[in-house]
Amino acid sequence: MELDKAKLNQFEEAGMNPFNAPTPGESLTQDPNQKFPWEQPPEINDVDSAIKEIFINLTEKSTLVELLNILKNGQPVDEIAQIVAYRGMSVGKYNSDLMLLLLEPIMYLIIAIAEEYEIEPVIYEGMDNDIAEEEDTDRAIESKPKPKINKASVPSSLLSRVKELPSKEELGVGE
């Protein structure tokens, strides 16, 4: 097989230089004096101090309003706690070991805040299914009513547009 040198290769056609890339391992040669926040000694070394600071941060007005909104929307408490803990670790407040120790206290803190504002928190994804499995499964499924649309929460203009959607036959879905 002979190579046609007059013909452009795929890199030349795309206008790219395949060798214009970082050298392998280049990211490991960062100046040791320029450390990431999590590579430095942490600001906080104990659970009590860390949870107090987290409480202060969570109860700031703008943060609290946002927290209550996501709790009302059914965001699981365990996911919120993981985000809060990871954020503190990534900015250098505490190390990764303390981050893991903080997960449970953060969850209880968020649950307490939710209960104070009379919000029924979702602790983890699939919690409702687990509760139903613990009870008599057949009875739990039968007694659980199908959710209905709260027409007051949906604008009437959208409800009228829903009625105008194409039928199954028009969509080709059929039975």
Side-chain angles (χ1 to χ4, degrees):
M1 178 173 164
E2 194 169 313
L3 204 58
D4 184 10
K5 294 184 180 183
K7 184 179 176 189
L8 298 176
N9 66 28
Q10 63 186 8
F11 298 109
E12 293 170 334
E13 287 175 359
M16 294 177 35
N17 180 355
F19 301 106
N20 187 17
T23 306
E26 185 177 335
S27 64
L28 302 174
T29 60
Q30 180 179 346
D31 182 14
N33 296 328
Q34 296 176 343
K35 294 184 177 183
F36 290 107
W38 59 86
E39 294 177 326
Q40 299 173 12
E43 294 176 26
I44 302 170
N45 292 316
D46 63 299
V47 174
D48 291 335
S49 300
I51 200 68
K52 286 176 187 172
E53 183 163 328
I54 290 168
F55 176 77
I56 291 169
N57 291 336
L58 284 179
T59 54
E60 288 177 4
K61 185 178 180 181
S62 60
T63 309
L64 183 60
V65 169
E66 193 171 325
L67 175 65
L68 294 175
N69 285 333
I70 61 176
L71 285 170
K72 284 180 188 174
N73 291 334
Q75 185 71 30
V77 172
D78 69 333
E79 293 177 9
I80 299 169
Q82 289 173 28
I83 292 168
V84 169
Y86 180 77
R87 173 75 177 131
M89 189 274 304
S90 67
V91 297
K93 292 286 183 190
Y94 37 82
N95 63 18
S96 58
D97 295 329
L98 186 57
M99 176 190 73
L100 292 175
L101 291 173
L102 286 170
L103 287 175
E104 185 178 358
I106 293 171
M107 286 180 67
Y108 282 123
L109 177 62
I110 293 170
I111 291 169
I113 291 171
E115 289 176 354
E116 180 66 28
Y117 288 93
E118 297 176 355
I119 299 171
E120 185 65 35
V122 176
I123 308 301
Y124 59 91
E125 190 73 35
M127 181 178 86
D128 294 336
N129 295 337
D130 290 346
I131 291 171
E133 288 174 7
E134 287 178 8
E135 299 170 359
D136 184 15
T137 307
D138 295 333
R139 206 171 18 133
I141 292 172
E142 290 172 5
S143 66
K144 200 170 192 178
K146 284 189 172 181
K148 294 184 179 181
I149 296 173
N150 182 359
K151 294 191 179 192
S153 66
V154 181
S156 59
S157 61
L158 289 179
L159 289 176
S160 63
R161 289 183 66 189
V162 169
K163 294 176 183 176
E164 296 173 4
L165 292 175
S167 66
K168 288 183 182 179
E169 293 81 19
E170 291 174 342
L171 291 174
V173 177
E175 293 179 35

